[in-house]
Short mmCIF file of all heavy atoms in Angstrom, two decimals:
data_model
loop_
_atom_site.label_atom_id
_atom_site.label_comp_id
_atom_site.label_asym_id
_atom_site.label_seq_id
_atom_site.Cartn_x
_atom_site.Cartn_y
_atom_site.Cartn_z
N MET A 1 118.99 68.59 47.04
CA MET A 1 117.64 68.57 47.65
C MET A 1 116.59 68.59 46.54
O MET A 1 116.61 69.45 45.67
CB MET A 1 117.47 69.80 48.55
CG MET A 1 116.25 69.74 49.42
SD MET A 1 116.55 68.99 51.02
CE MET A 1 117.25 70.37 51.93
N PRO A 2 115.66 67.60 46.55
CA PRO A 2 114.60 67.62 45.52
C PRO A 2 113.67 68.82 45.72
O PRO A 2 113.51 69.31 46.84
CB PRO A 2 113.85 66.31 45.76
CG PRO A 2 114.38 65.72 47.01
CD PRO A 2 115.57 66.51 47.48
N THR A 3 113.09 69.27 44.63
CA THR A 3 112.14 70.39 44.71
C THR A 3 110.77 69.96 44.21
O THR A 3 110.65 69.12 43.32
CB THR A 3 112.62 71.59 43.86
OG1 THR A 3 112.85 71.14 42.54
CG2 THR A 3 113.90 72.18 44.42
N CYS A 4 109.75 70.55 44.78
CA CYS A 4 108.37 70.24 44.42
C CYS A 4 108.04 70.80 43.04
O CYS A 4 108.32 71.97 42.75
CB CYS A 4 107.44 70.86 45.47
SG CYS A 4 105.69 70.69 45.06
N ASP A 5 107.44 69.97 42.18
CA ASP A 5 107.09 70.40 40.83
C ASP A 5 106.01 71.47 40.81
O ASP A 5 105.87 72.21 39.85
CB ASP A 5 106.60 69.20 40.01
CG ASP A 5 107.76 68.35 39.50
OD1 ASP A 5 108.92 68.73 39.74
OD2 ASP A 5 107.50 67.31 38.88
N THR A 6 105.20 71.52 41.85
CA THR A 6 104.10 72.48 41.87
C THR A 6 104.54 73.82 42.45
O THR A 6 104.33 74.86 41.84
CB THR A 6 102.92 71.93 42.68
OG1 THR A 6 102.44 70.75 42.05
CG2 THR A 6 101.78 72.96 42.73
N CYS A 7 105.13 73.83 43.64
CA CYS A 7 105.42 75.09 44.31
C CYS A 7 106.90 75.44 44.36
O CYS A 7 107.27 76.54 44.77
CB CYS A 7 104.83 75.09 45.73
SG CYS A 7 105.69 73.98 46.88
N GLY A 8 107.76 74.49 43.97
CA GLY A 8 109.19 74.79 43.93
C GLY A 8 109.89 74.70 45.28
O GLY A 8 111.07 75.02 45.40
N ASN A 9 109.18 74.26 46.30
CA ASN A 9 109.76 74.12 47.63
C ASN A 9 110.83 73.04 47.65
O ASN A 9 110.65 71.96 47.10
CB ASN A 9 108.64 73.76 48.62
CG ASN A 9 109.13 73.68 50.05
OD1 ASN A 9 110.00 74.43 50.46
ND2 ASN A 9 108.57 72.76 50.81
N GLU A 10 111.95 73.34 48.27
CA GLU A 10 112.99 72.32 48.45
C GLU A 10 112.72 71.57 49.73
O GLU A 10 112.54 72.15 50.79
CB GLU A 10 114.38 72.99 48.52
CG GLU A 10 114.82 73.57 47.20
CD GLU A 10 116.27 74.05 47.26
OE1 GLU A 10 116.94 73.78 48.27
OE2 GLU A 10 116.70 74.71 46.31
N TYR A 11 112.67 70.25 49.63
CA TYR A 11 112.24 69.45 50.77
C TYR A 11 112.88 68.07 50.65
O TYR A 11 112.91 67.49 49.56
CB TYR A 11 110.71 69.34 50.73
CG TYR A 11 110.05 68.67 51.91
CD1 TYR A 11 110.38 69.02 53.22
CD2 TYR A 11 109.08 67.69 51.71
CE1 TYR A 11 109.75 68.41 54.29
CE2 TYR A 11 108.45 67.08 52.78
CZ TYR A 11 108.79 67.44 54.07
OH TYR A 11 108.16 66.83 55.11
N ASP A 12 113.39 67.55 51.76
CA ASP A 12 114.12 66.28 51.66
C ASP A 12 113.21 65.06 51.69
O ASP A 12 113.67 63.94 51.52
CB ASP A 12 115.19 66.18 52.76
CG ASP A 12 114.60 66.16 54.16
OD1 ASP A 12 113.36 66.35 54.28
OD2 ASP A 12 115.35 65.97 55.11
N LYS A 13 111.91 65.26 51.91
CA LYS A 13 110.99 64.12 51.95
C LYS A 13 109.94 64.20 50.85
O LYS A 13 108.77 63.88 51.05
CB LYS A 13 110.31 64.02 53.32
CG LYS A 13 111.31 63.74 54.45
CD LYS A 13 110.61 63.61 55.78
CE LYS A 13 111.61 63.42 56.91
NZ LYS A 13 112.51 64.60 57.07
N THR A 14 110.35 64.65 49.70
CA THR A 14 109.42 64.67 48.57
C THR A 14 109.09 63.24 48.16
O THR A 14 109.78 62.29 48.52
CB THR A 14 110.04 65.40 47.36
OG1 THR A 14 111.28 64.79 47.06
CG2 THR A 14 110.21 66.88 47.61
N PHE A 15 108.00 63.10 47.40
CA PHE A 15 107.62 61.79 46.88
C PHE A 15 107.21 61.95 45.41
O PHE A 15 106.93 63.05 44.95
CB PHE A 15 106.48 61.18 47.71
CG PHE A 15 105.27 62.07 47.83
CD1 PHE A 15 104.22 61.95 46.93
CD2 PHE A 15 105.19 63.04 48.82
CE1 PHE A 15 103.10 62.77 47.03
CE2 PHE A 15 104.08 63.87 48.92
CZ PHE A 15 103.04 63.73 48.03
N THR A 16 107.23 60.85 44.71
CA THR A 16 106.91 60.86 43.28
C THR A 16 105.54 60.25 43.04
O THR A 16 105.21 59.21 43.62
CB THR A 16 107.96 60.06 42.49
OG1 THR A 16 109.24 60.64 42.73
CG2 THR A 16 107.67 60.11 41.00
N VAL A 17 104.73 60.91 42.23
CA VAL A 17 103.42 60.38 41.85
C VAL A 17 103.46 60.08 40.36
O VAL A 17 103.87 60.93 39.56
CB VAL A 17 102.30 61.39 42.15
CG1 VAL A 17 100.95 60.87 41.64
CG2 VAL A 17 102.23 61.67 43.65
N THR A 18 103.08 58.87 40.00
CA THR A 18 103.04 58.47 38.60
C THR A 18 101.62 58.12 38.20
O THR A 18 100.93 57.40 38.92
CB THR A 18 103.95 57.26 38.34
OG1 THR A 18 105.28 57.60 38.74
CG2 THR A 18 103.95 56.89 36.86
N GLN A 19 101.17 58.64 37.08
CA GLN A 19 99.82 58.36 36.58
C GLN A 19 99.94 58.18 35.07
O GLN A 19 100.15 59.14 34.34
CB GLN A 19 98.91 59.54 36.92
CG GLN A 19 97.46 59.31 36.51
CD GLN A 19 96.61 60.52 36.81
OE1 GLN A 19 96.94 61.63 36.43
NE2 GLN A 19 95.51 60.32 37.50
N GLY A 20 99.84 56.94 34.62
CA GLY A 20 100.03 56.68 33.20
C GLY A 20 101.45 57.08 32.81
O GLY A 20 102.42 56.62 33.42
N ASP A 21 101.58 57.96 31.81
CA ASP A 21 102.91 58.38 31.39
C ASP A 21 103.31 59.71 31.99
O ASP A 21 104.30 60.31 31.62
CB ASP A 21 103.00 58.43 29.85
CG ASP A 21 101.95 59.33 29.24
OD1 ASP A 21 101.19 59.96 30.01
OD2 ASP A 21 101.88 59.42 28.01
N ARG A 22 102.51 60.19 32.97
CA ARG A 22 102.87 61.43 33.65
C ARG A 22 103.42 61.10 35.03
O ARG A 22 102.97 60.17 35.68
CB ARG A 22 101.63 62.32 33.86
CG ARG A 22 101.01 62.81 32.57
CD ARG A 22 100.08 63.99 32.86
NE ARG A 22 99.05 63.66 33.85
CZ ARG A 22 98.41 64.56 34.58
NH1 ARG A 22 98.71 65.82 34.47
NH2 ARG A 22 97.47 64.19 35.43
N SER A 23 104.38 61.88 35.48
CA SER A 23 104.82 61.72 36.86
C SER A 23 105.34 63.07 37.35
O SER A 23 105.69 63.95 36.57
CB SER A 23 105.90 60.65 36.98
OG SER A 23 107.11 61.09 36.42
N GLY A 24 105.35 63.22 38.67
CA GLY A 24 105.82 64.47 39.24
C GLY A 24 106.38 64.23 40.62
O GLY A 24 106.10 63.22 41.26
N VAL A 25 107.20 65.18 41.07
CA VAL A 25 107.80 65.11 42.41
C VAL A 25 107.15 66.21 43.24
O VAL A 25 107.08 67.36 42.82
CB VAL A 25 109.33 65.33 42.32
CG1 VAL A 25 109.95 65.38 43.72
CG2 VAL A 25 109.96 64.22 41.49
N PHE A 26 106.65 65.84 44.42
CA PHE A 26 105.91 66.80 45.23
C PHE A 26 106.33 66.76 46.70
O PHE A 26 106.80 65.74 47.19
CB PHE A 26 104.41 66.50 45.13
CG PHE A 26 103.91 66.45 43.71
CD1 PHE A 26 103.66 65.24 43.08
CD2 PHE A 26 103.74 67.62 42.98
CE1 PHE A 26 103.24 65.19 41.77
CE2 PHE A 26 103.33 67.58 41.65
CZ PHE A 26 103.06 66.37 41.05
N ASP A 27 106.10 67.88 47.37
CA ASP A 27 106.44 67.96 48.80
C ASP A 27 105.22 67.73 49.67
O ASP A 27 105.34 67.60 50.88
CB ASP A 27 107.07 69.33 49.13
CG ASP A 27 106.12 70.49 48.88
OD1 ASP A 27 105.08 70.29 48.21
OD2 ASP A 27 106.42 71.60 49.36
N SER A 28 104.03 67.68 49.08
CA SER A 28 102.82 67.48 49.87
C SER A 28 101.72 66.93 48.96
O SER A 28 101.79 67.07 47.74
CB SER A 28 102.34 68.82 50.46
OG SER A 28 101.92 69.69 49.41
N PHE A 29 100.72 66.32 49.59
CA PHE A 29 99.61 65.80 48.79
C PHE A 29 98.81 66.96 48.19
O PHE A 29 98.20 66.81 47.14
CB PHE A 29 98.72 64.89 49.64
CG PHE A 29 99.34 63.53 49.84
CD1 PHE A 29 99.93 63.17 51.04
CD2 PHE A 29 99.34 62.61 48.79
CE1 PHE A 29 100.52 61.93 51.21
CE2 PHE A 29 99.93 61.37 48.95
CZ PHE A 29 100.52 61.02 50.16
N GLU A 30 98.80 68.08 48.86
CA GLU A 30 98.10 69.23 48.31
C GLU A 30 98.72 69.63 46.96
O GLU A 30 98.02 69.86 45.98
CB GLU A 30 98.17 70.40 49.28
CG GLU A 30 97.40 71.61 48.78
CD GLU A 30 97.44 72.77 49.76
OE1 GLU A 30 98.17 72.67 50.76
OE2 GLU A 30 96.75 73.75 49.49
N CYS A 31 100.05 69.66 46.92
CA CYS A 31 100.72 70.02 45.68
C CYS A 31 100.53 68.94 44.62
O CYS A 31 100.38 69.23 43.44
CB CYS A 31 102.21 70.26 45.94
SG CYS A 31 102.52 71.83 46.79
N ALA A 32 100.54 67.67 45.05
CA ALA A 32 100.34 66.57 44.11
C ALA A 32 98.95 66.67 43.49
O ALA A 32 98.77 66.53 42.29
CB ALA A 32 100.53 65.23 44.81
N ALA A 33 97.94 66.93 44.33
CA ALA A 33 96.57 67.04 43.85
C ALA A 33 96.43 68.21 42.90
O ALA A 33 95.75 68.13 41.88
CB ALA A 33 95.60 67.19 45.02
N HIS A 34 97.10 69.31 43.23
CA HIS A 34 97.01 70.51 42.40
C HIS A 34 97.45 70.21 40.98
O HIS A 34 96.84 70.68 40.02
CB HIS A 34 97.89 71.61 43.00
CG HIS A 34 97.77 72.92 42.27
ND1 HIS A 34 96.69 73.75 42.41
CD2 HIS A 34 98.60 73.51 41.37
CE1 HIS A 34 96.86 74.81 41.63
NE2 HIS A 34 98.01 74.68 41.00
N LYS A 35 98.48 69.42 40.84
CA LYS A 35 99.03 69.15 39.52
C LYS A 35 98.44 67.89 38.86
O LYS A 35 98.27 67.84 37.65
CB LYS A 35 100.55 68.98 39.63
CG LYS A 35 101.25 69.10 38.28
CD LYS A 35 102.55 69.84 38.43
CE LYS A 35 103.08 70.34 37.10
NZ LYS A 35 104.15 71.31 37.27
N MET A 36 98.14 66.86 39.67
CA MET A 36 97.78 65.57 39.11
C MET A 36 96.29 65.27 39.09
O MET A 36 95.83 64.50 38.24
CB MET A 36 98.49 64.45 39.89
CG MET A 36 100.00 64.58 39.96
SD MET A 36 100.85 64.37 38.38
CE MET A 36 100.70 62.61 38.13
N ALA A 37 95.54 65.81 40.02
CA ALA A 37 94.14 65.44 40.12
C ALA A 37 93.33 66.02 38.96
O ALA A 37 93.56 67.16 38.57
CB ALA A 37 93.56 65.92 41.45
N PRO A 38 92.40 65.23 38.43
CA PRO A 38 91.54 65.77 37.37
C PRO A 38 90.57 66.79 37.96
O PRO A 38 90.38 66.85 39.18
CB PRO A 38 90.80 64.53 36.87
CG PRO A 38 90.82 63.56 38.00
CD PRO A 38 92.09 63.84 38.78
N THR A 39 89.96 67.62 37.11
CA THR A 39 88.97 68.57 37.60
C THR A 39 87.59 68.18 37.07
O THR A 39 87.46 67.65 35.98
CB THR A 39 89.30 70.01 37.14
OG1 THR A 39 89.47 70.00 35.73
CG2 THR A 39 90.55 70.52 37.81
N CYS A 40 86.58 68.47 37.85
CA CYS A 40 85.20 68.17 37.48
C CYS A 40 84.80 68.97 36.25
O CYS A 40 85.06 70.17 36.18
CB CYS A 40 84.29 68.50 38.66
SG CYS A 40 82.54 68.27 38.27
N ALA A 41 84.17 68.29 35.27
CA ALA A 41 83.77 68.97 34.03
C ALA A 41 82.63 69.95 34.27
O ALA A 41 82.34 70.78 33.43
CB ALA A 41 83.37 67.93 32.99
N HIS A 42 81.97 69.85 35.44
CA HIS A 42 80.84 70.75 35.71
C HIS A 42 81.21 71.89 36.66
O HIS A 42 80.99 73.04 36.37
CB HIS A 42 79.66 69.96 36.28
CG HIS A 42 78.48 70.83 36.56
ND1 HIS A 42 77.73 71.40 35.55
CD2 HIS A 42 77.93 71.24 37.72
CE1 HIS A 42 76.76 72.13 36.09
NE2 HIS A 42 76.86 72.05 37.41
N CYS A 43 81.79 71.55 37.82
CA CYS A 43 82.04 72.60 38.82
C CYS A 43 83.51 72.97 38.94
O CYS A 43 83.86 73.87 39.69
CB CYS A 43 81.49 72.18 40.19
SG CYS A 43 82.45 70.89 41.00
N SER A 44 84.39 72.25 38.22
CA SER A 44 85.81 72.57 38.17
C SER A 44 86.58 72.33 39.47
O SER A 44 87.70 72.78 39.60
CB SER A 44 86.05 74.03 37.73
OG SER A 44 85.52 74.24 36.46
N CYS A 45 85.97 71.64 40.42
CA CYS A 45 86.71 71.35 41.64
C CYS A 45 87.68 70.20 41.40
O CYS A 45 87.52 69.43 40.45
CB CYS A 45 85.77 71.03 42.80
SG CYS A 45 84.98 69.43 42.67
N ARG A 46 88.69 70.10 42.23
CA ARG A 46 89.65 68.99 42.12
C ARG A 46 88.97 67.70 42.55
O ARG A 46 88.28 67.67 43.57
CB ARG A 46 90.84 69.22 43.04
CG ARG A 46 91.70 70.38 42.63
CD ARG A 46 92.65 70.02 41.51
NE ARG A 46 93.10 71.25 40.85
CZ ARG A 46 93.68 71.28 39.67
NH1 ARG A 46 93.85 70.19 38.97
NH2 ARG A 46 94.07 72.41 39.15
N ILE A 47 89.16 66.65 41.78
CA ILE A 47 88.56 65.37 42.12
C ILE A 47 89.59 64.54 42.88
O ILE A 47 90.58 64.07 42.32
CB ILE A 47 88.09 64.63 40.86
CG1 ILE A 47 87.02 65.48 40.16
CG2 ILE A 47 87.54 63.25 41.22
CD1 ILE A 47 86.65 64.99 38.78
N LEU A 48 89.37 64.38 44.18
CA LEU A 48 90.30 63.64 45.02
C LEU A 48 89.77 62.25 45.35
O LEU A 48 90.51 61.39 45.81
CB LEU A 48 90.56 64.41 46.33
CG LEU A 48 91.16 65.81 46.12
CD1 LEU A 48 91.37 66.48 47.46
CD2 LEU A 48 92.47 65.74 45.36
N GLY A 49 88.50 62.03 45.12
CA GLY A 49 87.91 60.71 45.33
C GLY A 49 87.90 59.94 44.04
O GLY A 49 88.71 60.18 43.14
N HIS A 50 86.94 59.04 43.92
CA HIS A 50 86.89 58.21 42.73
C HIS A 50 86.40 58.99 41.51
O HIS A 50 86.80 58.72 40.39
CB HIS A 50 85.96 57.01 42.96
CG HIS A 50 86.52 56.05 43.96
ND1 HIS A 50 87.55 55.20 43.66
CD2 HIS A 50 86.20 55.83 45.25
CE1 HIS A 50 87.84 54.50 44.75
NE2 HIS A 50 87.04 54.85 45.73
N GLY A 51 85.48 59.92 41.72
CA GLY A 51 84.92 60.64 40.59
C GLY A 51 83.99 59.76 39.78
O GLY A 51 83.84 58.58 40.05
N ILE A 52 83.37 60.36 38.80
CA ILE A 52 82.44 59.64 37.93
C ILE A 52 82.76 59.98 36.49
O ILE A 52 82.88 61.15 36.12
CB ILE A 52 80.99 60.07 38.25
CG1 ILE A 52 80.61 59.58 39.64
CG2 ILE A 52 80.02 59.55 37.19
CD1 ILE A 52 79.21 59.95 40.03
N GLU A 53 82.91 58.95 35.68
CA GLU A 53 83.15 59.17 34.27
C GLU A 53 81.86 59.00 33.49
O GLU A 53 81.11 58.05 33.71
CB GLU A 53 84.20 58.18 33.74
CG GLU A 53 85.62 58.56 34.12
CD GLU A 53 86.63 57.59 33.53
OE1 GLU A 53 86.65 57.46 32.29
OE2 GLU A 53 87.35 56.96 34.31
N ALA A 54 81.58 59.93 32.60
CA ALA A 54 80.40 59.83 31.75
C ALA A 54 80.74 60.43 30.40
O ALA A 54 81.19 61.58 30.30
CB ALA A 54 79.22 60.58 32.38
N SER A 55 80.58 59.64 29.37
CA SER A 55 80.84 60.09 28.00
C SER A 55 82.24 60.69 27.86
O SER A 55 82.42 61.72 27.21
CB SER A 55 79.79 61.13 27.58
OG SER A 55 78.50 60.57 27.66
N GLY A 56 83.22 60.08 28.51
CA GLY A 56 84.59 60.54 28.35
C GLY A 56 84.95 61.75 29.19
O GLY A 56 86.08 62.21 29.18
N ARG A 57 83.98 62.29 29.94
CA ARG A 57 84.28 63.41 30.83
C ARG A 57 84.22 62.90 32.26
O ARG A 57 83.60 61.89 32.55
CB ARG A 57 83.28 64.55 30.63
CG ARG A 57 83.36 65.11 29.21
CD ARG A 57 82.75 66.48 29.12
NE ARG A 57 81.31 66.44 29.40
CZ ARG A 57 80.57 67.55 29.57
NH1 ARG A 57 81.13 68.73 29.52
NH2 ARG A 57 79.27 67.44 29.81
N ILE A 58 84.86 63.62 33.16
CA ILE A 58 84.91 63.15 34.54
C ILE A 58 84.29 64.21 35.45
O ILE A 58 84.51 65.41 35.28
CB ILE A 58 86.35 62.78 34.95
CG1 ILE A 58 86.38 62.15 36.34
CG2 ILE A 58 87.30 63.95 34.86
CD1 ILE A 58 87.64 61.36 36.63
N PHE A 59 83.51 63.73 36.41
CA PHE A 59 82.81 64.61 37.33
C PHE A 59 83.14 64.22 38.77
O PHE A 59 83.46 63.07 39.05
CB PHE A 59 81.29 64.51 37.12
CG PHE A 59 80.87 64.89 35.73
CD1 PHE A 59 80.74 63.92 34.75
CD2 PHE A 59 80.63 66.22 35.39
CE1 PHE A 59 80.37 64.26 33.44
CE2 PHE A 59 80.26 66.57 34.10
CZ PHE A 59 80.12 65.59 33.12
N CYS A 60 83.00 65.18 39.69
CA CYS A 60 83.36 64.91 41.09
C CYS A 60 82.29 64.08 41.77
O CYS A 60 82.57 63.37 42.74
CB CYS A 60 83.60 66.22 41.84
SG CYS A 60 82.13 67.24 42.04
N CYS A 61 81.04 64.17 41.31
CA CYS A 61 79.96 63.47 41.99
C CYS A 61 78.79 63.30 41.01
O CYS A 61 78.76 63.93 39.95
CB CYS A 61 79.48 64.26 43.22
SG CYS A 61 78.83 65.89 42.79
N ALA A 62 77.83 62.45 41.39
CA ALA A 62 76.69 62.19 40.51
C ALA A 62 75.89 63.47 40.27
O ALA A 62 75.34 63.67 39.20
CB ALA A 62 75.80 61.11 41.14
N HIS A 63 75.82 64.34 41.27
CA HIS A 63 75.08 65.59 41.11
C HIS A 63 75.60 66.39 39.92
O HIS A 63 74.83 66.87 39.09
CB HIS A 63 75.18 66.41 42.40
CG HIS A 63 74.54 67.76 42.27
ND1 HIS A 63 73.18 67.96 42.29
CD2 HIS A 63 75.09 68.98 42.06
CE1 HIS A 63 72.93 69.24 42.13
NE2 HIS A 63 74.06 69.88 41.98
N CYS A 64 76.92 66.53 39.84
CA CYS A 64 77.51 67.30 38.74
C CYS A 64 77.26 66.61 37.40
O CYS A 64 77.01 67.27 36.40
CB CYS A 64 79.00 67.51 38.97
SG CYS A 64 79.35 68.80 40.18
N ALA A 65 77.33 65.28 37.39
CA ALA A 65 77.07 64.55 36.15
C ALA A 65 75.63 64.78 35.71
O ALA A 65 75.35 64.99 34.54
CB ALA A 65 77.34 63.06 36.35
N HIS A 66 74.71 64.78 36.68
CA HIS A 66 73.30 65.04 36.37
C HIS A 66 73.13 66.44 35.80
O HIS A 66 72.42 66.65 34.81
CB HIS A 66 72.44 64.88 37.63
CG HIS A 66 72.27 63.46 38.05
ND1 HIS A 66 71.56 63.10 39.19
CD2 HIS A 66 72.71 62.30 37.50
CE1 HIS A 66 71.58 61.77 39.30
NE2 HIS A 66 72.28 61.27 38.30
N GLU A 67 73.78 67.41 36.45
CA GLU A 67 73.67 68.80 36.00
C GLU A 67 74.16 68.95 34.56
O GLU A 67 73.70 69.80 33.82
CB GLU A 67 74.49 69.71 36.92
CG GLU A 67 73.93 69.85 38.33
CD GLU A 67 72.63 70.65 38.35
OE1 GLU A 67 72.63 71.76 37.79
OE2 GLU A 67 71.64 70.15 38.91
N ALA A 68 75.12 68.12 34.19
CA ALA A 68 75.69 68.18 32.84
C ALA A 68 74.91 67.32 31.85
O ALA A 68 75.31 67.15 30.71
CB ALA A 68 77.15 67.76 32.87
N GLY A 69 73.80 66.72 32.33
CA GLY A 69 72.93 66.00 31.42
C GLY A 69 73.11 64.49 31.41
O GLY A 69 72.53 63.81 30.57
N HIS A 70 73.92 63.97 32.32
CA HIS A 70 74.11 62.52 32.38
C HIS A 70 73.21 61.93 33.46
O HIS A 70 73.62 61.71 34.60
CB HIS A 70 75.58 62.19 32.65
CG HIS A 70 76.49 62.70 31.58
ND1 HIS A 70 76.57 62.11 30.34
CD2 HIS A 70 77.33 63.74 31.55
CE1 HIS A 70 77.44 62.79 29.59
NE2 HIS A 70 77.91 63.77 30.31
N ASP A 71 71.97 61.71 33.10
CA ASP A 71 70.97 61.29 34.08
C ASP A 71 71.25 59.94 34.69
O ASP A 71 70.82 59.66 35.81
CB ASP A 71 69.58 61.26 33.43
CG ASP A 71 69.11 62.66 33.10
OD1 ASP A 71 69.56 63.61 33.75
OD2 ASP A 71 68.29 62.80 32.17
N ALA A 72 71.96 59.09 33.99
CA ALA A 72 72.16 57.73 34.47
C ALA A 72 73.34 57.60 35.44
O ALA A 72 73.54 56.56 36.03
CB ALA A 72 72.36 56.77 33.30
N ALA A 73 74.12 58.65 35.59
CA ALA A 73 75.31 58.56 36.42
C ALA A 73 74.96 58.37 37.89
O ALA A 73 74.06 59.03 38.42
CB ALA A 73 76.16 59.83 36.27
N VAL A 74 75.64 57.47 38.53
CA VAL A 74 75.45 57.24 39.96
C VAL A 74 76.82 57.21 40.63
O VAL A 74 77.81 56.89 39.99
CB VAL A 74 74.72 55.91 40.26
CG1 VAL A 74 73.27 55.99 39.78
CG2 VAL A 74 75.43 54.76 39.58
N ASP A 75 76.85 57.54 41.91
CA ASP A 75 78.11 57.49 42.63
C ASP A 75 78.62 56.05 42.67
O ASP A 75 77.89 55.12 42.99
CB ASP A 75 77.92 58.01 44.06
CG ASP A 75 77.93 59.52 44.10
OD1 ASP A 75 78.85 60.12 43.54
OD2 ASP A 75 77.00 60.10 44.69
N ARG A 76 79.89 55.91 42.32
CA ARG A 76 80.49 54.59 42.30
C ARG A 76 81.45 54.50 43.49
O ARG A 76 82.38 55.25 43.60
CB ARG A 76 81.26 54.40 40.99
CG ARG A 76 81.74 52.97 40.79
CD ARG A 76 82.36 52.82 39.42
NE ARG A 76 83.49 53.73 39.24
CZ ARG A 76 84.13 53.87 38.09
NH1 ARG A 76 83.73 53.22 37.04
NH2 ARG A 76 85.16 54.68 38.00
N VAL A 77 81.18 53.55 44.37
CA VAL A 77 81.93 53.50 45.62
C VAL A 77 83.20 52.67 45.49
O VAL A 77 84.20 52.94 46.12
CB VAL A 77 81.05 52.98 46.76
CG1 VAL A 77 81.85 52.85 48.04
CG2 VAL A 77 79.87 53.93 46.98
N SER A 78 83.15 51.63 44.69
CA SER A 78 84.35 50.79 44.62
C SER A 78 84.85 50.67 43.18
O SER A 78 84.17 51.09 42.26
CB SER A 78 84.07 49.41 45.17
OG SER A 78 83.06 48.79 44.43
ZN1 LIG B 1 104.77 71.89 46.82
ZN1 LIG B 2 81.62 68.77 40.40
#
């Protein structure tokens, strides 16, 4: 039985998430996000949407990018 890389739960319907050269086996999207999702450089929340990159850092939304001094950042939808 595969086990979740985040919580260690044994589950027969785990799935694998690959991102660049990282990959993990998870039993739920919550666990996958916990381990794989980037965190906002300003508020530290998990970024589950597209996020915003500014100067090599990633933010959850334009508001956080603005708070961190990136005035030109705008929400990118696609
Ligand atoms: Zn899990
Ligand atoms: Zn944020």
Side-chain angles (χ1 to χ4, degrees):
M1 191 91 81
T3 54
C4 175
D5 281 356
T6 298
C7 70
N9 184 35
E10 290 187 9
Y11 186 49
D12 64 353
K13 296 181 184 64
T14 55
F15 55 93
T16 302
V17 175
T18 302
Q19 183 182 52
D21 56 3
R22 296 197 304 158
S23 72
V25 175
F26 306 103
D27 63 345
S28 66
F29 283 104
E30 183 179 6
C31 286
H34 185 76
K35 197 141 197 166
M36 304 292 287
T39 53
C40 176
H42 181 70
C43 73
S44 299
C45 72
R46 293 280 161 196
I47 299 169
L48 300 180
H50 292 285
I52 292 180
E53 282 182 59
S55 302
R57 298 199 296 170
I58 186 161
F59 300 93
C60 66
C61 61
H63 175 77
C64 282
H66 287 178
E67 291 290 309
H70 299 286
D71 291 335
V74 292
D75 279 310
R76 189 174 59 186
V77 176
S78 61

